[in-house]
């Protein structure tokens, strides 16, 4: 996880909108990177402050004025675009709901005047949620099943430690191997991975890690 | 220099032996069970001794581990030092078959420290207690919690046919060969080699329910009761190596306590496989929810059930981000099976374990065990969670969002 990537995901991380994998990566990155950690704190503080602000009240005359202006604009647009729209509508009568024979009647009724804007407002309001649902579904597709299952399997193996006659060295072999698999992508960036590929005995920590610092994963990424 | 050369030759020889063993197709163990085995009393006495006094034996050894999975195998050689009662240092040496580098794991009785030089990281797991608290006496069915070692021993006695097979030489020692075969089908069996002088296991072979060897570990050489300085069990963390603290395993508590602590109704299977008892449960945090982990045992083997409670909210969002139904459908685990009530479940092999996962009444269940899949299905079918408590408003919001999502993005 690079700083740039972490920054781009920071807001979503703060809102807990990230998938398991990304959430885990950002969390680990923040544990390591002081700069990003500061940025995160700053963003969090800003968000907290914004959360305490009350919405400003609009002046009483705002809505009538807005309605009046919108009406004037609509009338103006109707004049200039009406002919063109009619032409387009004629070209595709079957599809167009705005066909004069149907649309005029439909949109002129008071119910339609109320329902259509309400529907549009609802549609617009639902867009972010729909987008969010789409993103979640996309995340689910890329979420590998090992991400979903490995933490459970790890807990299962760890709980075997205290079984009588269990071979703790074998269990340790499985658990430590799994820990490395689970955390490698979190702890190393792509360049670090390449650098570490050949090293076995020597610790080659990332320069981003201040020496002698102890980090704690506050929320264990399961 | 000569010492290094000798060491290298030893490691090379051991590696050759390991490669030979890995390449060898493990033989199947017959799983039939015919009442009490020969020398059962002596074998049980040896087992009891190992369970009760095994930790009192200090040693310094080289151990080889080989694991066979359905998809391949993995092996490594380790240097192990143990100072009674609870100091252990294990060095896992680099191995091509394990695709791993050198790593050190130290357990000081309070915590476990895992130094991974290839990552430049030390994983610290505090509170990895060697022995968990267990209350009550040996369980007799679901809802009871087994006691400690005594109950484990009585469970082994009840659920396994223990036989003393022979006496063999191993790592320069004499050892009794003991076979443990499950009374109830669908469970793994074992063979263990117990030192004739010390209550210590020199070799373990574990067989799958189908009789095939799944893991093997043995000592190449061992020295009992050596003088080991305490310093050997202190991890010298090199400079600029980060320490990442992970939560340790919690102590098992009774089901009643678990229910109180969890703050949600913890559904348990009404049926457990023959010979198994509920041992207890624990809670583990996962982002903003607590996951209940319930463990069942037959004395040697365990089955774990993980329960993620329903999460209220417009989207039913779970730890991990995506909506749980989407995630469940999108993440394919092995093959799909249907429970008796028509609930979709996913069944998979994970290393040597079977894993069954399903959703019901807003709960997410995951069963893991090194047992036959029929036992897991038997348990899953008997889990009857309370109906979803999700507020009507949330269900409505979820439906609206799902409608727009499907309308806008999938065109349904």
């Amino acid at each position: 996880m690079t700083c740039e990537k972490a920054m781009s995901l920071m807001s979503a991380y703060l809102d807990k909108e990230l998938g398991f994998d990304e959430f885990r990566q950002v969390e680990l990155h923040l544990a390591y990177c002081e700069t990003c950690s500061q940025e995160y704190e700053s963003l969090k503080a800003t968000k907290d402050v914004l959360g305490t602000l009350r919405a400003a009240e609009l002046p009483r005359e705002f809505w009538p004025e807005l309605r009046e202006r919108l009406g004037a604009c609509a009338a103006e647009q109707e004049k200039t675009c009406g002919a063109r729209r009619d032409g387009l509508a004629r070209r595709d009568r079957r599809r167009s709901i705005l066909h004069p024979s149907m649309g005029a009647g439909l949109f002129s009724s008071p119910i339609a005047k109320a329902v259509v804007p309400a529907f549009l407002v609802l549609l617009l309001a639902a867009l972010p949620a729909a987008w969010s649902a789409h993103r979640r579904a996309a995340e689910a597709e890329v979420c590998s099943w090992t991400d979903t299952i490995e933490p459970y399997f790890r807990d299962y193996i760890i709980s075997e430690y205290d079984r009588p006659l269990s071979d703790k060295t074998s269990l340790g072999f499985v658990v430590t191997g799994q820990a490395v698999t689970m955390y490698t992508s979190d702890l190393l960036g792509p360049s670090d991975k390449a650098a570490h590929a050949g090293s076995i005995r020597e610790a080659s920590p990332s320069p981003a890690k201040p020496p002698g610092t102890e980090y704690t994963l506050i929320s264990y990424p399961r | 220099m000569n010492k290094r050369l000798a060491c290298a030759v030893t490691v090379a020889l051991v590696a050759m032996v390991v490669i030979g063993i890995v390449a060898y197709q493990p033989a199947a163990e017959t799983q039939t069970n015919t009442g009490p085995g020969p020398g059962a009393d002596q074998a049980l006495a040896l087992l009891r001794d190992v369970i009760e006094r095994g930790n009192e034996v200090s040693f310094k050894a080289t151990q080889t581990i080989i694991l066979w999975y359905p998809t391949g195998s993995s092996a490594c050689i380790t240097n192990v030092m143990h100072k009674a009662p609870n100091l252990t240092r294990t060095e896992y040496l680099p191995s091509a078959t394990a695709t791993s580098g050198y790593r050190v794991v130290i357990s000081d009785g309070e915590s476990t420290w895992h130094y991974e030089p290839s990552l430049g990281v030390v994983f610290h797991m505090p509170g990895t207690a060697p022995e968990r608290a267990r209350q009550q006496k040996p369980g007799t069915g679901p809802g009871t919690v087994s006691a400690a070692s005594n109950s484990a021993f009585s469970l082994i006695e009840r659920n396994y046919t223990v036989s003393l097979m022979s006496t063999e030489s191993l790592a320069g020692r004499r050892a009794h060969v003991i076979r443990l075969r499950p009374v109830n089908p669908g469970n793994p069996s074992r063979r263990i080699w117990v030192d004739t002088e010390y209550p210590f296991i020199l070799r373990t072979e574990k067989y799958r329910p189908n009789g095939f060897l799944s893991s093997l570990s043995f000592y190449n050489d061992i020295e009992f009761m050596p003088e080991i300085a305490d310093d050997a069990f202190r991890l010298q963390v090199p400079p600029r190596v980060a320490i990442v603290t992970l939560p340790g395993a919690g102590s098992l508590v009774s089901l009643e306590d678990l229910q109180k602590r969890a703050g949600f109704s913890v559904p348990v299977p009404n049926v457990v496989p023959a010979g198994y008892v509920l041992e207890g449960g624990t809670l583990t945090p996962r982002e903003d929810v607590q996951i209940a982990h319930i463990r069942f045992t037959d004395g040697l083997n365990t089955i774990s059930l993980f329960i993620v409670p329903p999460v209220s909210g417009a989207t039913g969002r779970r730890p991990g981000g995506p909506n749980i139904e989407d995630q469940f459908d999108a993440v394919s685990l092995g093959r799909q099976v249907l429970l008796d009530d028509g609930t979709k479940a996913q069944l998979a092999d994970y290393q040597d374990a079977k894993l069954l996962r399903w959703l019901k009444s807003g709960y997410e269940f995951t069963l893991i065990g090194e047992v036959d899949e029929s036992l897991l299905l038997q348990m899953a079918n008997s889990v009857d969670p309370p109906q979803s408590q999700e507020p009507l408003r949330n269900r409505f919001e979820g439906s609206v969002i799902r409608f727009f999502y499907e309308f806008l993005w999938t065109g349904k």
Side-chain angles (χ1 to χ4, degrees), chain B residues 213-269:
Chain B
L213 187 60
S214 67
S215 72
L216 164 65
S217 67
F218 58 89
Y219 289 96
N220 307 96
D221 57 73
I222 189 160
E223 180 189 351
F224 285 112
M225 303 303 179
E227 285 296 320
I228 311 173
D230 283 355
D231 280 355
F233 304 98
R234 285 196 200 97
L235 183 64
Q236 302 296 322
V237 182
R240 306 196 63 176
V241 164
I243 299 170
V244 177
T245 302
L246 304 173
S251 297
L252 290 178
V253 298
S254 70
L255 190 59
E256 197 181 25
D257 285 346
L258 187 73
Q259 298 267 17
K260 279 183 202 161
R261 291 181 197 185
F264 62 89
S265 174
V266 181
V268 293

Side-chain angles (χ1 to χ4, degrees), chain B residues 202-411:
Chain B
L202 291 168
R203 177 183 172 110
T204 303
E205 290 178 358
K206 196 170 170 186
Y207 295 84
R208 292 196 187 93
N210 63 10
F212 282 88
L213 187 60
S214 67
S215 72
L216 164 65
S217 67
F218 58 89
Y219 289 96
N220 307 96
D221 57 73
I222 189 160
E223 180 189 351
F224 285 112
M225 303 303 179
E227 285 296 320
I228 311 173
D230 283 355
D231 280 355
F233 304 98
R234 285 196 200 97
L235 183 64
Q236 302 296 322
V237 182
R240 306 196 63 176
V241 164
I243 299 170
V244 177
T245 302
L246 304 173
S251 297
L252 290 178
V253 298
S254 70
L255 190 59
E256 197 181 25
D257 285 346
L258 187 73
Q259 298 267 17
K260 279 183 202 161
R261 291 181 197 185
F264 62 89
S265 174
V266 181
V268 293
N270 294 312
V271 176
V272 292
Y276 280 82
V277 294
L278 176 66
E279 198 173 17
T282 182
L283 288 171
T284 47
R286 180 173 161 185
E287 293 181 22
D288 50 355
V289 297
Q290 294 280 341
I291 295 175
H293 173 189
I294 299 172
R295 199 167 76 162
F296 302 87
T297 185
D298 69 347
L300 273 188
N301 201 35
T302 60
I303 299 175
S304 283
L305 173 62
F306 296 90
I307 304 162
V308 185
V311 177
S312 60
T315 60
R317 184 179 176 277
R318 297 277 186 167
N323 173 287
I324 190 63
E325 280 81 15
D326 290 341
Q327 189 186 40
F328 187 80
D329 288 338
V331 179
S332 174
L333 284 181
R335 62 193 171 92
Q336 187 174 297
V337 291
L338 287 180
L339 301 184
D340 287 351
D341 64 356
T343 304
K344 279 192 294 182
Q346 294 175 339
L347 185 64
D349 290 301
Y350 194 97
Q351 295 195 1
D352 212 27
K354 294 275 181 195
L355 192 145
L356 184 69
R357 184 167 168 258
W358 73 102
L359 303 175
K360 201 170 183 182
S361 297
Y363 288 88
E364 179 194 331
F365 298 95
T366 306
L367 261 172
I368 306 179
E370 291 176 37
V371 293
D372 191 82
E373 64 190 51
S374 61
L375 302 187
L376 298 186
L377 285 165
Q378 185 188 0
M379 291 177 80
N381 280 320
S382 73
V383 179
D384 189 18
Q387 289 304 302
S388 175
Q389 300 297 308
E390 197 177 9
L392 186 65
R393 185 179 63 82
N394 291 338
R395 272 184 272 163
F396 173 72
E397 286 175 8
S399 305
V400 170
I401 287 165
R402 184 167 282 275
F403 166 76
F404 280 113
Y405 166 69
E406 287 179 353
F407 179 73
L408 288 170
W409 297 107
T410 63

